[in-house]
């Protein structure tokens, strides 16, 4: 048995693999700067609003990560999110469908759009940039056509869909959820370590695993305490967190996840190893559009309406920026779903802090661009260090 200790971590740092530390450092700096400039920034009320703001775009960013892992891009995610939200709203409001059934159909529409994009990319050999750029324009046009002359459809404030963004966990359920998550994480760490020891594989020291479990417990408990000081833990955060954790488990502990990383790292080597590269690429686009549909539904729930700007504005750019800032490589083969959570936290924190300070939106865009450029620079340096 080999124990992976501090020397192993230092070797990874020397190779340029900084992990999530730059993003965590950035979040701490943002909290310190905006917290000192405006005392309301770190208040429970503002942090709760921050969580609500990031759920929809963060979910879309999760889908972007799926295609970025393959070194591809999806420029249609914003339009697809708006289109699926409109489909759901039309079925629910105008045709009186059951809201759950309307959501299911909207998600299936998103999956079908992703399948079309994937087939066009893999069978017609069209670059993903062109395919999804056409989708960005075309699906936005279909959205406007479906809305008709009215341009806006409101959702019932007391309905199921709008209620998704206005539902708060009772304190006992929030703490139970924390206990379950920490317990599951600890059990998974112990079981994984024992299996690796039995197989003669290198493992991390026990104190490192205990430190990570304790850190997760403190982080989750702190979040519950802060959010409970306002309205409580929002259901939107639970949904977003479940998607992040679920997709991370799929990518790290299933054959499909390993194939995704293999294709993104070296498609030709993956093909020679017997992996169906075409199928993996198609599924990545399906996942991207499906998650975009989920994001659009969450956005419609929070606004209790859909209109011609649904999925538009800077949603796509913020989703891509969140994925990259969180640590997903633009060159494929490296990234975690937690990148969406960290990245969208950075972007929404910057946006929220500047709004509190009444900073002009032009400055906000420039600051976000600088953070994005810095993230890409770190990614490029990491690749160079890894190659050496």
């Amino acid at each position: 048995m080999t124990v992976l200790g501090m020397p192993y971590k230092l070797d990874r740092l020397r190779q340029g693999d900084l992990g999530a530390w730059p993003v965590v450092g950035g979040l701490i700096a943002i909290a310190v700067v905006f917290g000192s400039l405006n005392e309301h920034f770190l208040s429970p009320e503002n942090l709760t609003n921050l969580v609500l703001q990031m759920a929809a775009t963060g979910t879309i960013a999760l889908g972007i990560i799926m295609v970025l892992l393959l070194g591809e891009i999806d420029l249609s995610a914003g339009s697809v999110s708006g289109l699926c939200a409109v489909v759901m709203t039309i079925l629910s409001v105008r045709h009186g469908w059951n809201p759950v059934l309307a959501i299911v159909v909207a998600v299936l529409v998103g999956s079908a759009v992703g399948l079309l994009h994937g087939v066009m990319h893999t069978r017609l050999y069209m670059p993903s940039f062109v395919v999804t750029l056409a989708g960005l324009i075309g699906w936005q046009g279909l959205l406007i056509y479906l809305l008709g002359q009215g341009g806006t459809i409101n959702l019932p404030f007391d309905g199921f869909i709008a209620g998704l963004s206005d539902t708060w966990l009772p304190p006992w359920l929030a703490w139970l959820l924390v206990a379950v998550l920490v317990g599951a994480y600890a059990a998974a760490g112990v079981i994984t370590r024992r299996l690796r020891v039995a197989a003669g594989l290198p493992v991390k020291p026990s104190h490192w695993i205990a430190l990570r479990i304790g850190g997760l417990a403190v982080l989750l408990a702190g979040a519950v305490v802060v959010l409970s000081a306002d309205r409580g833990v929002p259901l939107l955060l639970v949904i977003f967190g479940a998607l992040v954790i679920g997709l991370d488990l799929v990518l790290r502990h299933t054959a499909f996840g390993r194939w995704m990383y293999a294709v993104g790292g070296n498609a030709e080597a993956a093909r020679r190893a017997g992996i169906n590269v075409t199928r993996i690429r198609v599924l990545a686009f399906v996942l991207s559009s499906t998650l975009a549909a989920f994001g659009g539904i969450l956005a419609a729930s929070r606004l209790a309406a859909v209109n011609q700007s649904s999925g538009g504005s800077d949603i796509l750019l913020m989703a891509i920026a969140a994925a990259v800032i969180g640590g997903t490589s633009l060159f494929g083969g490296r990234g975690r779903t937690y990148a969406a959570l960290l990245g969208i936290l950075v972007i929404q924190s910057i946006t929220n802090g500047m709004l509190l300070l009444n900073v002009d939106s032009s400055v906000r865009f420039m600051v976000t661009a600088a953070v994005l450029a810095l993230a890409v620079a770190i990614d490029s340096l990491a690749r160079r260090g890894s190659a050496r």
Side-chain angles (χ1 to χ4, degrees), residues 34 313-315 317-318 346-356 358-372:
F34 286 117
S313 186
D314 59 354
I315 290 179
L317 299 180
M318 293 300 102
V346 169
I347 291 177
Q348 290 294 350
S349 296
I350 293 173
T351 301
N352 183 274
M354 290 191 173
L355 288 175
L356 289 176
N358 293 320
V359 176
D360 189 79
S361 60
S362 60
V363 177
R364 174 171 60 87
F365 286 134
M366 288 187 284
V367 171
T368 304
V371 173
L372 176 60

Side-chain angles (χ1 to χ4, degrees), residues 92-93 154-163 304:
S92 176
V93 175
N154 295 317
L155 287 161
F157 284 102
D158 57 348
F160 173 80
I161 298 173

Side-chain angles (χ1 to χ4, degrees), residues 21 37 46 55 60 89 92 101 123 125 141-142 152 157-158 168 211 219 255 263 276 316 318 320 363 373 386 388:
W21 290 113
L37 294 175
N46 188 59
I60 298 173
T89 306
S92 176
L101 182 58
R123 298 301 183 183
Y125 304 102
L142 181 58
T152 300
F157 284 102
D158 57 348
W168 313 85
L211 183 62
L219 181 64
V263 173
N276 191 328
L316 171 66
M318 293 300 102
I320 295 176
V363 177
S386 178
R388 286 197 298 267

Side-chain angles (χ1 to χ4, degrees), residues 32-302:
V32 171
V33 171
F34 286 117
S36 61
L37 294 175
N38 190 307
E39 61 181 12
H40 185 64
F41 180 75
L42 295 177
S43 67
E45 180 185 1
N46 188 59
L47 292 177
T48 301
N49 291 332
L50 182 62
V51 167
L52 292 173
Q53 292 164 2
M54 75 180 194
T57 307
T59 302
I60 298 173
L62 277 176
I64 297 294
I65 290 174
M66 297 299 107
V67 292
L68 287 182
L69 286 176
L70 303 185
E72 304 294 345
I73 191 65
D74 187 355
L75 299 178
S76 67
S79 296
V80 172
S81 70
L83 173 65
C84 294
V86 167
V87 169
M88 172 199 68
T89 306
I90 289 176
L91 293 177
S92 176
V93 175
R94 291 184 176 176
H95 297 283
W97 283 33
N98 181 285
V100 176
L101 182 58
I103 291 174
V104 170
V105 172
V107 172
L108 291 176
V109 169
S111 301
V113 169
L115 178 62
L116 176 61
H117 290 169
V119 170
M120 292 173 68
H121 172 58
T122 58
R123 298 301 183 183
L124 301 180
Y125 304 102
M126 297 173 62
S128 59
F129 180 90
V130 176
V131 171
T132 56
L133 178 61
L136 183 155
I137 301 170
W139 304 126
Q140 184 67 26
L142 181 58
L143 178 154
I144 296 173
Y145 174 79
L146 291 176
L147 284 175
Q149 294 182 349
T152 300
I153 305 177
N154 295 317
L155 287 161
F157 284 102
D158 57 348
F160 173 80
I161 298 173
L164 292 175
S165 60
D166 196 28
T167 298
W168 313 85
L169 301 187
W172 67 268
L173 183 56
W175 286 111
L176 177 62
L177 186 60
V178 169
V180 170
L181 288 175
V182 174
Y185 184 77
V190 172
I191 293 173
T192 300
R193 192 176 193 277
R194 288 181 178 177
L195 291 176
R196 292 182 68 88
V197 170
L201 297 173
V203 296
K204 296 177 181 178
S206 300
H207 68 270
W208 177 252
I209 297 176
L211 183 62
R212 296 183 65 174
I213 295 172
L216 177 64
V218 171
L219 181 64
L220 293 178
V224 171
V225 169
V226 171
L227 296 176
S228 297
D230 183 41
R231 286 159 285 181
V233 177
L235 179 61
L236 282 186
L237 178 61
V238 176
I239 295 173
F240 178 45
L243 289 173
V244 171
I245 294 172
L247 286 172
D248 182 69
L249 292 175
V250 169
L251 288 177
R252 292 196 299 121
H253 297 291
T254 67
F256 170 74
R258 290 190 288 271
W259 294 342
M260 285 276 289
Y261 286 112
V263 173
N266 190 320
E268 183 58 30
R271 183 180 289 106
R272 294 184 179 184
I275 298 174
N276 191 328
V277 175
T278 298
R279 181 182 300 170
I280 295 300
R281 284 176 171 160
V282 171
L283 287 175
F285 281 97
V286 171
L287 282 173
S288 178
S289 293
T290 301
L291 289 165
F294 273 114
I297 291 168
L298 295 182
S301 171
R302 185 164 183 271

Side-chain angles (χ1 to χ4, degrees), residues 16-17 19 23 61 63-74 260-261 263-265 320-340 372 375-384 386:
D17 187 2
V23 187
I64 297 294
I65 290 174
M66 297 299 107
V67 292
L68 287 182
L69 286 176
L70 303 185
E72 304 294 345
I73 191 65
D74 187 355
M260 285 276 289
Y261 286 112
V263 173
I320 295 176
V324 177
I325 290 172
T328 304
S329 175
L330 285 169
F331 305 98
R334 189 174 77 248
R336 296 278 297 276
T337 58
Y338 294 105
L372 176 60
V376 175
I378 293 174
D379 180 39
S380 298
L381 292 174
R383 285 175 56 85
R384 289 175 59 186
S386 178

